[in-house]
Each structure stands twice: as C-alpha cells, then as structure tokens.
Amino acid sequence: MTLTDETSAPLAHERLTTLGAALRVALDGPYAAERAVARATFPAGGALRPVELGIEESRAWTLARLQELQDAGFGSAGVPSRAGAHADPLEAALTFETLAMCDLSVTIKSGVQFGLFGGAIANLGTAWHHDTFLPGVTSMELLGCFAMTELGHGSDVASLETTLTYVPETDEIEVHSPTPAATKAYIGNAARDGGMAAVFGQLVVDGRRHGVHTVLVPLRDEDGADLPGVTTGDHGHKGGLLGIDNGTLRFDHVRVPRRMLLDRYGGIGDDGAYRSEIEDPNRRFFTMLGTLVRGRVCVGGGGAMAARRALSIATRHALRRRQFPAPGRPDGVLLLDYVVHQRRLLPLLARSYALGAAQNRLIGALVHVQGDDESTERDQRELETFAAGMKAMQTWFANRAVQEAREACGGAGYLSENELTALRGDVDIFATFEGDNTVLMQLVAKGLLTDYRHAWSALDRTGVVQATTRAVGELVMERTSAGLVLDRLAATARRRPEETTLVDRGWHALMFEERERHALESLARRMRAAAKAGGDSFEAFNRLGPHVQFVARAHMERVTLAAFVALLDTTEDAEARDVLERTCSLFALSSIADDRAWFLEHSRMTTARSKAIGDQIDALCRELRPHALALVEGLGIPRDWIEARILDE
Amino acid sequence: MTLTDETSAPLAHERLTTLGAALRVALDGPYAAERAVARATFPAGGALRPVELGIEESRAWTLARLQELQDAGFGSAGVPSRAGAHADPLEAALTFETLAMCDLSVTIKSGVQFGLFGGAIANLGTAWHHDTFLPGVTSMELLGCFAMTELGHGSDVASLETTLTYVPETDEIEVHSPTPAATKAYIGNAARDGGMAAVFGQLVVDGRRHGVHTVLVPLRDEDGADLPGVTTGDHGHKGGLLGIDNGTLRFDHVRVPRRMLLDRYGGIGDDGAYRSEIEDPNRRFFTMLGTLVRGRVCVGGGGAMAARRALSIATRHALRRRQFPAPGRPDGVLLLDYVVHQRRLLPLLARSYALGAAQNRLIGALVHVQGDDESTERDQRELETFAAGMKAMQTWFANRAVQEAREACGGAGYLSENELTALRGDVDIFATFEGDNTVLMQLVAKGLLTDYRHAWSALDRTGVVQATTRAVGELVMERTSAGLVLDRLAATARRRPEETTLVDRGWHALMFEERERHALESLARRMRAAAKAGGDSFEAFNRLGPHVQFVARAHMERVTLAAFVALLDTTEDAEARDVLERTCSLFALSSIADDRAWFLEHSRMTTARSKAIGDQIDALCRELRPHALALVEGLGIPRDWIEARILDE
C-alpha cells in the first residue's frame, strides 16, 4: 500500500493510498464518476455549522449556507425549475448524499425545500403549479413547507384530520384544522422561513370525502406575519438539526383558490365535481404517497453518510492514539490494535460498505422508476418497499455507528470540536422522520407477504396443488432484486453446509436465504391462522409484531448481502477485491453472529460452527486491520472535509 | 389498583396508586425512609437548566443552582466539613441520586466539587488539609478540580506524566507537565470556576520515583486569572453537560509548599525523605485509588436515575398516545398496547428494577467499607469490583434506555421541551468518565480471575489435588455477594432443568450461574494457556478481550439477579410482590434471551426451550401491561419533577 499522487483527475486534490482509491471506486460503483466530480467540485469549506450558535443564529446560518450552495448549483439539484423540465432523480440522490457528508441541517433544509416542498409540487401538481411555483422554489425566493404530519397522526397519514373542503360558491378550497390533534407538527420551514405550505388533508367535495389530497396554502405576508386564519408555532430547541425551523401550522377556515389544489391524481373540475383517473381511493392514496419515495431514498443515503463520517473520524483516531504500554510496545498500544477496539469499529466499516452497495442499487431502482425508462407499477411498488427498508436499516445503523464512534474516541469524542456529538444529535431523528423506522419495516414485511400471497395463488391457479410453503417462499425470494445471484451461490453450499468454511460465500448466501425464507413462511402461516381465529383480530395480529420486524430485517440483510456480492463481481482491482471479499465476509458473519440463536434454534447450524464464528470474526478483523486506513478512504469522505481537531493533534 | 390519598407522610404531596406506592417502597429497599424524605424535601422546582442557554450562561446557571442547593443542605452531603467530622457515604450516595433525578450538570458539578475534589482532600489528605480546605470546599467558597486524567493517558492512571518533584532547597513541590500529552484534560471546574486543583502526578523525591500522588495546586488569582506557570484551557462546547466548565490544565514548573501534598498514604518528612506506611508502591497506588470508589458508586446510580426519568416519560406517554385505528379501537390503539412497543419499554423497566436492587446492595457495601463498620481489605477490593461493574452496567443501560425512550416518543421525543434529548446528551459521557466502561469491565473480570487463582491455590494447598475447574468455579461464585441465595435456587432446577417452566426462578438462577461459571473457567484456562505460550504475550492476551467482556457481563448479570431475588424476599405487600415476581422474570428472561446463542452453544438449553422464550417474554409484557403506571411510579421519579410537555397535552 503506497501513497500515490497519481490518481484520476477529479481526485487529484486528495492524497489517497492506491488501495483506498481503488476501494472508493468500487464502493462508488456505477456512480463513481459522478461522485468523484461532486467531491472535487463541492464547496465543502466551512461546511459545518458552528456548534455554539443559538437557535436563531443557527437557522440564519443554515439558510444562508443553503442559498450559497444553491447559487453554486448544489441546492435544488433534481428539482425541475419549470413545467416539463427534466427532473433528474440521480442528481437529486447524489446531491443529497454529498450535502450529507457535511452539515446535516443544511442537508435537511435542502430536503424540505427542494425534495419535499418542491417534490410535492413537481409530483402532485400539474403544469400551472409547475410554471407558477417551481421557479421560486428552485431559486429559493419561495421557501415552503411539506405539511403532512399532524400532532395526533405521526405515522398514520390516512387518518389525517385536516380538511380541504371545496366551496363551490366562491370556487375556493377551505383548509381547516378541526381539532388540536389536527395541528401540523414538526414541519420544517414552518417556524420561520416558510411562505407557503403543501398541506395534506382530507378533500371534501359536495359533502363527500375523497381521501388525502394536497393543497398549496400561503402562510405569511411579506413581513413574515401569519396570514389571517393561519397560526404558525415554533418547536424551539431540539435534540439536533438546530438549523431547521421546525414548527406547527394550524388553519382556521383558510380559503385558497381551487387551482391551488395539487391535482395530478385527483382534482375538481370546472363543474365543481371531483374527478380522478384512479377510481380506487386507496390506490389513489398510495399512488400519491408513492411519488414521494425519493425522500426516503435520500434520507437513508444521508444517514449512511453521517455514519461514514463518524467511522472515518473514529478509525483515523484509533490509528493515531496509543494507550497503556504493553510488552514490546513501550509507548502504548495503538487503539486499533486492541481486539476489542477492532471489534467495535471494523464490523461497522464492513456494514457501511454493504449498505453502500445496496444504496447504489436503490438509487438505480429510483432512476429506473422516476427517470426516463419505462417502468411498471410493480417496479414502483418494489422501489417503495426497498426504499422503506433501506431508510430504516441505514438510519438505525447511522445512530449505532455514530454512537460507537463517539465512545471509541473516549472523552475527546464528547467535545463538540470533534464533530461526533453534533452528528449524533442530528442523525438521531433520521430514525423517525420520513417514516418511523419500525413502521417502515412493517411496510417491508407487508410487501413480502403480498408477494407471498400472489405467488401462492399463482401456483395454485397453475395447478401446482401441492405447492409447499417452501416452494412459494423460494418463488418470492427469486423474484426480489436479490434473487438469482445469491440463489446460485447458496446452491453450492446447500447440500453439505457444515463442510464449507465460515468464509464461504455460498454458505453466507444460504444462511441469509434460509433466515428470510423460513421466517417469512412461518409469518405467513401465523398470519393466516390469525385471520381465521375468532376473537380480537387486532390482538391476533398485534402478537406477530416482533416476528414482522424480524422478517423485514432478514429480508433487508439478504438484499444487502446480494448487493455486496454483486459489487465484488464488478470490482476489477485485485487488491481491492481481495480486501472487499474479507469485508463482505465480516459483514455476513457479523449478521449471522447476531442471529446465531435463530440459526441454532432452526437447526441451520451446528453448535460447533456457531461457537467458531466469534474467532473467525476476530481473524477477519486482524486481516483487515492493516487496511483500515484504505477502508476509511474508500468510504469516500474526503479527509479535508473533516474538521475534527482530534485528528490534527 | 386504586388511587389513594393515604400514603405515608413524606409521600403525601404525591398522589400514587396503591400499587405504585408499594412498588416504590420495595425498590427503595433499605433506604426507603431516607429516599422518601429526600423526595419530600428536595427543592426540585425549576430543576432543569433551560436548554437554550449558551455555554457561559449554562455554567453560571449551574453554579448558581448548586450554590442554592448547597445552601438548602443538598450539595455537599457526605463530605466532612472539617477534620474528624463524620463523612457519611450513605448521605453522599443518596444525595447524588436525588440530584441525578433532576439536572445532570448540577449533579456532576456537585460530584466534581464535593465528591472528587472534596473527596480527594478528605480521603488522601490529613488533618491540616481537612482543617484548612474542607470548610471552603463545603461552603463552595473554594471551588476545585480533580486533575487526574491527562490528554495522553485517559484510562491509564499509572502512566501519568505530570511530575511532582520535591525541591529540598525551598521545601517545595514542583508541579510540571513535561509534554503536551501530560496536559490535564476534561477536568471539571478547570475552564472557569476552579481556584485550586488536586493534581495527580508522579512523585519524585531525591531523584527517585514513588508513583502517583496528589498535591493541591492553586490555579487562579482573585480576579480569575491563571497564576504564574499555570495555563488553563477551555474545552468549550460539548455533547451535553454544558453546565460543567471542563477544561485543560498545564503546569510549567509550578511550586507549592510541601504540605500541599495530600500525604495520608505517602508523604515527605521534615527530613526531606519519602515515607509511607505502605511499602509496596503498587499496593499504595491501588489503596489511594480505592478511596475514590464512591465516585463510581454515585455515577452508576446517577445514570440509573436518568434512565428512570426517561422511561417514566416514555411510558407515561405511551399510556396516553393513540395511533392507527384498529378493529374495536376506532380512536386508535394506545401505544403501549402494541406488542412491539411493550417489548421496547417493559423489559427496560424490568431492568431498571433489577439494577436498582443491585445498586441498593452496592450502597450497602460502600457504607460497610467507608462507614463506621470494621471492614477488611477484601471487603474494599470486592467493593471496587462491584462498583466498577455497576458503574459500567448502569451507564450503558442509561444510554440505551434514554435513546429507546426518545425513539418511543417519536418526533415529540426530539423536542427539547420533552427532556429526552438533553438527557441523552448529558448521560452519554457517563459511559466514559469515572472510568471507561470497557476498561471497568476488564477490572471486574480481573477481580474474578484473582479470586479464581486464590481459590485454586487454596484448594491445592488443602490437598484437594483433583480440584476440578468446576469446583474452583463454584467456590469463587459462592464467595461473591450473589452467592448462596442464587445457589440454593439453582440447585432446585439443576437436576432436570428442562422440566422447569420458563418463569421458574430456580431455572433463571441456574442459567445465570452456568453462564458465569463456564465463561470464567474457560477464560481462566485460556489465560493460563496464553501465559505459557511463547511469542507476543500482548497478542495472546489481546485475543481474549471479547471473552473478558463476556465474563464480566455474565458476572454482573448474576449479581443483579441475586439482588433482585433478595428484594423479592423482602417485599411484604402481596400485590407488589406478585408484580415484582413477573418483573424479575422479565428481566431474567430478557437476559437469557440476549445470550440464548451462548446457552445453545454450550448445551445449557434445548432449541425448543430457546424458541419458547420470545413468547414467554411477550406473555410477561402482557401481564405487566396493566401495571405499567404503577411500575413507573415505583421507579421513584416524582411526577411533578418531570416537566416534559408531552405529558401535559
């Protein structure tokens, strides 16, 4: 491993080891060129909000910084600036992750303004909305809110109470919050900056409810005062993201012209009658929400970047800091030479790579559905499930990784100058916003069960009357994006799994498949039993809650492994590939180790093999230890974007 | 369960359910009377620092608040105010935990001033130091620092670089920081308030080093300026505890009179020669450090209170908040009725009780050693091991519980007005200060291995030549505080463990014992092998790191279960006892479930039994669900001390 000055042009400003550069190219995957350009051109200097700033100063700093980035071309990426303009989902996702390598308030402010507010107008609105509002959105002259969540209805969008009632007499829509629980809450841009909101509520036309729709409502006059009938509130201090002015919105019979309704999927004709191309209100609801999937793709990827930044800091620190003299090490042992410390950080690095590979695939699926390709409703639904799961997995991981990084840096990790605590505070809420993670994992399981039901009835129809649950399970699994690659690998190990080594990829694939398939099949069985059982049906399903979470996680783990395996196959550099093979094994074994009780309980592994996993993980850590710096470089957070003083001393 | 107005006098201001009151008395245990008085008399109004305050305002607020509490008799509790005065360790521990029910900056400021600075003077000093400095310490006219940690030496006190060199010519001690790594770091009261520091460093007399000693060094003049040779620094913003002015101290050949050396265990005579009653420098070092054990007892207990506060908020919220309508529940399901939500919170409540029972025992051990009883060196050593483990277990738990509570409150949990994020930020560092938790767990394992070695050689001496490792392990376990109670219980289950129910206490005891004993024995074997093996001895032991952590944790789990079982035996109220029995089962099964892979790997459990544990945990959650409010009341955080607005709405 040698330092090289000769790297490709966009990386020229950063000195990377040869291996680090190769790992970075591998992990950047299909978007390596775009990401290299972003790193080389993004104005990252002074990118972190000074942590001592108070609330109002933080908000002002964040707005100014976003405006600056916008002026430099890094803000509204991916949002079309007018009707018919190309909305580039790839640019949106990559810009968001670049922003997330720096200040997360700026990142989320961008997400609120361009992704959510701009996205609602672009996706739910029609030409007049686009022409009228998108120029102001993209230039930031019109700052806006995405007013979906209500105090009483966090994750339950279908139950929103806000009403959007059509008033034929004046051809207006009356926006109203009928109860305190209907107050829009946690809304970014609501407390200070928002001049307008995309308000989600129940559309009522001629006394009939048509489900959740969205209307644009002006909030403030030019002096920033609430408009008549609008009451904005300020959530004040929060656990992080102080640069975002989260607040509340209440509407007291506020009227706006009919055309302010974002009516791409359902609207009101000149005759005052409701019309929609989608008959089924349920399908309409999910179609509307489905267009917003990009937000989840971005937030998950953003969380992953926070984790990478934290792991970069902690690992680089562990390569400099010595503690406790030992035989042969009079100046103390380098932190990363402690096995316990390796076990803290290296499996997290491995998981960062695995999730990065999966996120690349997710971005690919997003581009397929929202880009210029032809795509099916099935593609859309799979994208939603995949995005929900990746958002949950990556943001949970981010919380864990940042906290572990903080603790791995000891007392220094607690000083704000070393970035980790602010990162921790900011990323905390990623597990809740854009869909609470636990609820998102329910969506993942629901998607799998739907596939399962379809597969079952399809097999049934084609006369395979003896379709076993196993056959059905396999059918479902093959159809998912992770399908064939892992399946082929698993086949090599299936006959004599105990004769494979612990780093045999076929055995990993087999274990990941078996975990998901068995858990899914048994959940499907229990679901059927619950549906048939009399009594309290809520309770019958309620008891399956932990099982639902397990299935969703098992699925996401398999999808992630499949993505990592595919990434290995496309890695050309031999040394990078060798290191990534071990990294993949570390990821896979860590996942198996976490669930080894399950594998033992379900006779998928002998106790002897289970006991050996810990030592194998240690061995992999030892093998990867010399490549720790390169692995960190590969994560792609440029060294000079990190300001943590702990690395300067 | 009925609300009662008739509770014992000190609780009269708080309306508790009958069961809640009984649970509180049970958990308060031997200190129920003292704790009830503290709750009734502690001035908790306005007890939380306003979160928007900047650094300097936070420090000023914290100092003022502590002074106010001190004036009201709640600050310096447990620190003697003069030579020969009674130092009450019970009062110290209970006051600390009461403080920790409110603002943690105030709590830690109190700990720095009274526990650490005052404690160093009281424990390491002699009559002149007591008479001269303790009155100022207790009145807070003299604010001081506990200057142990150095930048280069976090957990490694023996390697401190600061030198305390005796200068016979002037009968002074010269305090010096020879390198940047010798800078005292993370020191509370250093950045702003400290007028003096108890500085730990290597004592050098006549060119000979005598190991770590402590000397009092004035830091600032009356205007707050650094005295000549002293350089104070400010760590500035941190991840929490903003009310504490942590900073750095450097000394450039600073001289103080000889008598400023805290010379209880080692000092310099009038003849200029070093003298100590403890010959062995190693033993002297550990004796000095041992006197400081109270800090760890307090910090662990304080972390537990933070967890209790957070769990109180999240559970009370889950008893009010509804989400998603379901069959038979048109207004939405109460959060705590979701099995997934029960699984999030109720096992944490159970662990809070378990740790509370163990902490009561730890306080008892502290009082035994530091109070008026006769105690042995062995008692002291056991106390240190116990305190180290409890500090680690409780502060790790606090971090986990507060974070889970935050997430369980969704977006509202992220608003500072609901206390959880500030609590999370404050408690974070508890896992690192007063001994990094990972290092403390090494101490626990070391203590057990020492016992093991002693038991082995004792058996050997008495002619039991065929002493099996099993017999030795049992001997070690019987001797620890958890010993006999659990052992008797385990005996009932040992013959046919698979025939017991999953809530059989004997089976729990057996599993906890087996886990610890087997892990300890195999660690001892591996240690012996490592010692014999040639090659790099550091690496040989380094590889045992994860095993060491497992042993320490298994031990602490057993000690905790033993304490909970003892608490059950002393609970007289029948309903409370019934609820606590289930709570204890939930704790025990959760612990077994977390390690069920281990039990399977070591043939301590069948797979069928292992698979049944999850359902049994769900069943216990269901049984405890109706008592959730009472369980929260039992935790002992008075409802009106909680300001979280989420509970007012």
Side-chain angles (χ1 to χ4, degrees):
Chain A
M1 204 161 63
T2 53
L3 275 172
T4 172
D5 290 321
E6 282 190 283
T7 48
S8 58
L11 297 172
H13 71 296
E14 203 186 353
R15 283 170 61 93
L16 297 177
T17 60
T18 310
L19 177 58
L23 288 170
R24 188 178 286 187
V25 167
L27 181 58
D28 282 347
Y31 314 113
E34 292 88 341
R35 284 168 167 152
V37 169
R39 284 188 199 99
T41 57
F42 186 76
L48 293 185
R49 181 170 48 85
V51 76
E52 323 79 49
L53 296 184
I55 295 181
E56 291 310 324
E57 295 163 297
S58 294
R59 291 171 175 180
W61 184 93
T62 302
L63 181 59
R65 168 79 181 154
L66 184 59
Q67 184 75 61
E68 189 186 307
L69 288 175
Q70 167 59 18
D71 296 344
F74 281 93
S76 68
V79 178
S81 56
R82 58 190 160 71
H86 179 65
D88 188 340
L90 177 61
E91 199 186 346
L94 296 183
T95 299
F96 194 93
E97 70 175 39
T98 306
L99 291 171
M101 291 186 192
C102 301
D103 187 87
L104 291 177
S105 281
V106 173
T107 311
I108 299 303
K109 188 95 176 171
S110 163
V112 168
Q113 171 68 11
F114 304 116
L116 293 175
F117 179 59
I121 295 172
N123 292 308
L124 303 179
T126 44
W128 180 79
H129 306 106
H130 298 169
D131 284 335
T132 310
F133 298 111
L134 287 180
V137 171
T138 49
S139 70
M140 293 178 60
E141 278 155 65
L142 173 63
L143 295 173
C145 305
F146 182 81
M148 179 187 273
T149 301
E150 295 178 358
L151 260 188
H153 310 278
S155 294
D156 185 10
V157 178
S159 298
L160 292 180
E161 288 183 66
T162 300
T163 50
L164 319 176
T165 309
Y166 179 58
V167 185
E169 292 73 17
T170 57
D171 199 24
E172 289 176 311
I173 290 172
E174 186 174 281
V175 182
H176 185 59
S177 315
T179 67
T183 305
K184 297 293 180 183
Y186 318 119
I187 310 297
N189 271 348
R192 196 188 88 144
D193 293 333
M196 184 177 279
V199 179
F200 288 72
Q202 308 289 348
L203 182 65
V204 181
V205 181
D206 198 15
R208 215 180 126 204
R209 291 173 78 117
H210 295 277
V212 173
H213 287 67
T214 313
V215 66
L216 294 175
V217 183
L219 299 176
R220 291 180 164 89
D221 64 21
E222 289 187 358
D223 300 329
D226 292 349
L227 288 170
V230 175
T231 307
T232 64
D234 191 335
H235 280 310
H237 202 281
K238 303 188 302 290
L241 297 181
L242 278 199
I244 310 287
D245 56 326
N246 293 92
T248 55
L249 298 174
R250 290 211 57 187
F251 303 98
D252 182 10
H253 301 93
V254 174
R255 294 201 178 177
V256 296
R258 166 168 61 102
R259 64 183 179 178
M260 297 294 267
L261 185 70
L262 298 174
D263 58 351
R264 176 164 165 197
Y265 295 105
I268 300 162
D270 289 337
D271 59 353
Y274 181 78
R275 55 170 175 68
S276 168
E277 286 175 21
I278 308 175
E279 288 274 310
D280 179 29
N282 207 34
R283 199 166 140 242
R284 190 189 311 132
F285 175 66
F286 285 110
T287 302
M288 287 183 187
L289 289 192
T291 62
L292 307 171
V293 68
R294 194 191 290 181
R296 285 188 182 152
V297 175
C298 288
V299 162
M305 290 304 140
R308 292 189 190 184
R309 187 177 185 104
L311 292 172
S312 298
I313 295 168
T315 309
R316 286 177 184 275
H317 173 62
L319 288 167
R320 301 158 49 96
R321 168 83 171 178
R322 295 181 179 276
Q323 187 94 288
F324 288 108
R329 293 149 184 89
D331 298 334
V333 178
L334 212 53
L335 274 191
L336 201 59
D337 285 335
Y338 286 108
V339 169
V340 170
H341 213 79
Q342 291 172 7
R343 287 284 289 256
R344 280 177 116 154
L345 295 178
L346 297 183
L348 296 176
L349 282 178
R351 183 166 281 267
S352 258
Y353 274 81
L355 290 170
Q359 177 74 7
N360 286 347
R361 286 203 159 187
L362 177 61
I363 292 173
L366 176 74
V367 170
H368 175 63
V369 169
Q370 294 199 344
D372 301 327
D373 295 359
E374 286 285 318
S375 66
T376 66
E377 200 167 314
R378 185 192 163 91
D379 291 336
Q380 166 72 27
R381 198 168 52 71
E382 281 187 359
L383 169 65
E384 287 171 30
T385 304
F386 193 12
M390 287 300 294
K391 187 272 181 181
M393 296 296 282
Q394 292 185 102
T395 57
W396 268 329
F397 172 70
N399 274 289
R400 183 156 72 93
V402 178
Q403 182 61 23
E404 196 67 57
R406 190 314 271 157
E407 292 181 30
C409 291
Y414 198 55
L415 303 183
S416 299
E417 66 183 32
N418 292 320
E419 304 185 1
L420 295 166
T421 52
L423 210 49
R424 180 69 184 70
D426 287 346
V427 89
D428 182 357
I429 196 63
F430 280 52
T432 300
F433 68 24
E434 282 286 328
D436 174 83
N437 282 357
T438 302
V439 176
L440 291 181
M441 291 301 260
Q442 286 169 5
L443 291 185
V444 172
K446 198 177 152 200
L448 291 171
L449 287 167
T450 305
D451 282 345
Y452 193 91
R453 233 181 351 257
H454 289 168
W456 186 280
S457 61
L459 277 179
D460 217 29
R461 269 199 309 278
T462 55
V464 187
V465 283
Q466 284 140 336
T468 61
T469 52
R470 178 172 187 105
V472 178
E474 267 164 21
L475 196 62
V476 171
M477 306 238 307
E478 274 168 22
R479 282 192 182 168
T480 64
S481 52
L484 287 178
V485 185
L486 277 204
D487 214 38
R488 268 198 296 267
L489 276 171
T492 66
R494 192 177 297 277
R495 192 173 304 182
R496 292 201 179 84
E498 291 293 321
E499 290 175 17
T500 58
T501 68
L502 286 173
V503 293
D504 185 302
R505 194 75 63 229
W507 181 68
H508 298 159
L510 179 65
M511 290 297 103
F512 277 59
E513 284 207 2
E514 292 285 304
R515 175 170 58 182
E516 178 182 348
R517 192 170 48 72
H518 183 93
L520 174 61
E521 285 161 6
S522 63
L523 178 62
R525 267 198 307 276
R526 292 180 72 188
M527 283 278 179
R528 275 199 299 273
K532 281 180 197 161
D536 188 336
S537 70
F538 166 72
E539 273 308 330
F541 286 105
N542 190 22
R543 289 184 193 181
L544 303 181
H547 195 154
V548 164
Q549 295 291 312
F550 184 83
V551 165
R553 192 165 57 73
H555 172 70
M556 292 311 303
E557 290 289 280
R558 184 175 65 94
V559 167
T560 302
L561 178 63
F564 205 161
V565 168
L567 180 145
L568 293 174
D569 288 344
T570 56
T571 302
E572 285 165 21
D573 182 279
E575 192 186 5
R577 166 137 188 177
D578 177 65
V579 168
L580 287 174
E581 289 281 3
R582 292 166 209 266
T583 306
C584 184
S585 291
L586 182 54
F587 159 70
L589 275 183
S590 300
S591 175
I592 293 170
D594 287 345
D595 280 338
R596 63 196 207 283
W598 188 92
F599 290 106
L600 291 168
E601 285 164 0
H602 296 81
S603 307
R604 296 304 197 279
M605 191 157 66
T606 63
T607 55
R609 181 167 272 253
S610 179
K611 284 164 85 167
I613 291 177
D615 282 346
Q616 183 64 61
I617 288 176
D618 286 350
L620 285 166
C621 287
R622 204 157 49 235
E623 290 163 27
L624 289 173
R625 160 69 188 84
H627 308 301
L629 176 62
L631 282 166
V632 164
E633 290 174 338
L635 290 181
I637 311 290
R639 170 65 186 87
D640 59 355
W641 292 19
I642 295 175
E643 295 168 15
R645 283 185 52 195
I646 201 178
L647 300 183
D648 296 332
E649 282 152 6
Chain B
M1 203 162 62
T2 54
L3 276 172
T4 173
D5 291 320
E6 282 190 284
T7 47
S8 59
L11 297 173
H13 71 295
E14 203 186 355
R15 285 171 59 95
L16 297 177
T17 61
T18 310
L19 177 58
L23 288 170
R24 189 179 284 186
V25 167
L27 181 57
D28 282 347
Y31 314 114
E34 291 88 342
R35 284 169 167 151
V37 169
R39 284 188 199 99
T41 57
F42 185 76
L48 292 186
R49 179 171 49 85
V51 77
E52 322 79 51
L53 296 183
I55 295 182
E56 290 310 323
E57 296 163 296
S58 294
R59 291 170 174 179
W61 184 93
T62 303
L63 181 59
R65 168 79 181 154
L66 184 61
Q67 185 74 60
E68 188 186 307
L69 288 174
Q70 168 59 17
D71 295 345
F74 281 93
S76 69
V79 178
S81 56
R82 56 188 163 73
H86 180 66
D88 188 339
L90 178 61
E91 201 187 345
L94 296 183
T95 299
F96 194 92
E97 69 176 39
T98 306
L99 291 170
M101 290 184 193
C102 301
D103 187 86
L104 291 177
S105 281
V106 173
T107 311
I108 298 304
K109 187 95 174 171
S110 163
V112 168
Q113 171 67 9
F114 305 117
L116 293 175
F117 180 58
I121 296 172
N123 291 308
L124 304 178
T126 45
W128 179 80
H129 306 107
H130 298 168
D131 284 334
T132 310
F133 299 111
L134 288 180
V137 171
T138 51
S139 71
M140 292 178 60
E141 278 156 63
L142 174 63
L143 296 172
C145 305
F146 182 81
M148 179 186 274
T149 300
E150 295 178 357
L151 261 189
H153 311 277
S155 294
D156 185 10
V157 178
S159 298
L160 292 180
E161 288 182 66
T162 300
T163 50
L164 318 176
T165 309
Y166 180 58
V167 184
E169 292 73 16
T170 56
D171 200 23
E172 290 176 311
I173 290 172
E174 187 174 282
V175 182
H176 186 58
S177 316
T179 68
T183 304
K184 298 294 182 183
Y186 317 118
I187 310 298
N189 272 348
R192 196 188 87 144
D193 293 332
M196 184 177 279
V199 178
F200 289 73
Q202 308 288 349
L203 182 64
V204 181
V205 181
D206 199 15
R208 216 182 123 201
R209 293 172 77 115
H210 296 277
V212 173
H213 287 67
T214 313
V215 66
L216 294 174
V217 183
L219 298 177
R220 291 180 165 88
D221 64 22
E222 290 187 357
D223 300 328
D226 291 350
L227 289 170
V230 174
T231 307
T232 63
D234 191 335
H235 280 310
H237 202 281
K238 305 189 299 290
L241 297 182
L242 278 199
I244 311 288
D245 56 325
N246 293 90
T248 54
L249 298 174
R250 292 210 56 186
F251 302 98
D252 182 11
H253 301 93
V254 174
R255 293 200 178 180
V256 295
R258 167 168 59 103
R259 63 182 180 180
M260 297 293 268
L261 184 71
L262 298 175
D263 59 350
R264 177 165 166 197
Y265 295 104
I268 300 162
D270 288 337
D271 58 355
Y274 181 78
R275 57 172 174 66
S276 168
E277 287 176 20
I278 308 175
E279 289 275 308
D280 179 29
N282 207 33
R283 198 165 142 240
R284 190 189 313 132
F285 174 66
F286 284 110
T287 303
M288 288 183 187
L289 289 192
T291 62
L292 307 172
V293 68
R294 193 191 290 181
R296 286 188 182 153
V297 175
C298 288
V299 163
M305 290 303 141
R308 291 189 191 185
R309 188 177 185 103
L311 291 173
S312 299
I313 293 168
T315 309
R316 287 177 184 275
H317 173 62
L319 288 167
R320 301 157 48 97
R321 168 82 172 180
R322 294 181 181 277
Q323 185 94 291
F324 290 107
R329 294 150 184 89
D331 298 334
V333 178
L334 212 52
L335 273 192
L336 202 58
D337 285 337
Y338 286 107
V339 169
V340 170
H341 213 79
Q342 291 171 8
R343 287 284 291 257
R344 280 179 118 153
L345 294 178
L346 297 182
L348 296 175
L349 282 177
R351 184 166 281 268
S352 258
Y353 274 81
L355 290 170
Q359 177 74 6
N360 286 347
R361 285 203 159 185
L362 177 61
I363 293 173
L366 175 75
V367 171
H368 175 63
V369 168
Q370 293 199 344
D372 301 327
D373 296 358
E374 287 284 318
S375 66
T376 65
E377 199 167 314
R378 184 193 164 91
D379 293 336
Q380 165 74 27
R381 198 168 50 73
E382 282 186 0
L383 169 65
E384 287 170 29
T385 304
F386 194 11
M390 287 300 294
K391 187 272 180 182
M393 296 297 283
Q394 291 185 104
T395 57
W396 268 330
F397 172 70
N399 273 289
R400 184 156 70 93
V402 178
Q403 182 61 23
E404 196 66 59
R406 190 313 271 158
E407 292 181 30
C409 291
Y414 198 57
L415 303 183
S416 299
E417 65 183 33
N418 292 321
E419 302 185 3
L420 294 167
T421 52
L423 209 49
R424 180 68 185 70
D426 287 348
V427 89
D428 182 358
I429 196 63
F430 280 53
T432 301
F433 68 24
E434 282 286 326
D436 174 84
N437 283 357
T438 302
V439 176
L440 291 180
M441 291 301 260
Q442 286 168 4
L443 291 185
V444 171
K446 197 176 153 199
L448 291 171
L449 287 167
T450 305
D451 282 346
Y452 193 91
R453 232 179 356 254
H454 289 168
W456 187 280
S457 62
L459 277 178
D460 216 31
R461 271 198 308 278
T462 54
V464 186
V465 283
Q466 284 140 336
T468 62
T469 53
R470 178 171 188 103
V472 178
E474 267 165 20
L475 195 62
V476 171
M477 306 237 308
E478 274 168 22
R479 281 191 182 169
T480 64
S481 52
L484 288 177
V485 186
L486 278 204
D487 214 38
R488 268 197 297 268
L489 276 171
T492 65
R494 192 178 297 277
R495 192 172 305 180
R496 292 201 179 84
E498 292 293 321
E499 290 175 17
T500 57
T501 68
L502 287 173
V503 293
D504 185 304
R505 195 75 64 229
W507 181 68
H508 298 159
L510 180 64
M511 291 296 103
F512 277 59
E513 284 206 2
E514 293 284 304
R515 175 171 57 182
E516 178 181 349
R517 193 172 46 73
H518 183 93
L520 174 61
E521 285 162 6
S522 62
L523 178 62
R525 267 199 307 276
R526 293 180 72 188
M527 283 277 181
R528 273 199 300 273
K532 281 180 200 161
D536 187 338
S537 70
F538 165 72
E539 272 308 330
F541 285 105
N542 190 21
R543 290 185 192 179
L544 303 181
H547 195 154
V548 163
Q549 295 291 314
F550 184 82
V551 165
R553 191 164 59 73
H555 172 70
M556 292 312 302
E557 289 289 281
R558 184 175 64 94
V559 167
T560 302
L561 178 63
F564 204 161
V565 167
L567 180 146
L568 292 174
D569 288 344
T570 56
T571 301
E572 286 166 19
D573 183 279
E575 193 186 5
R577 168 140 186 173
D578 177 65
V579 168
L580 287 174
E581 289 281 3
R582 292 167 210 266
T583 306
C584 184
S585 291
L586 181 55
F587 159 70
L589 275 183
S590 300
S591 174
I592 293 171
D594 288 345
D595 280 338
R596 63 195 207 283
W598 188 93
F599 290 107
L600 290 168
E601 285 164 1
H602 295 82
S603 308
R604 296 305 197 278
M605 191 158 66
T606 62
T607 55
R609 180 166 274 251
S610 179
K611 283 164 86 168
I613 291 178
D615 283 346
Q616 183 64 62
I617 287 175
D618 286 349
L620 286 166
C621 286
R622 204 156 51 236
E623 289 162 29
L624 288 172
R625 160 70 189 83
H627 308 301
L629 176 62
L631 281 166
V632 164
E633 290 175 338
L635 291 182
I637 311 291
R639 169 66 187 86
D640 60 355
W641 292 19
I642 295 174
E643 296 168 14
R645 284 185 52 195
I646 200 177
L647 300 182
D648 296 334
E649 283 152 7

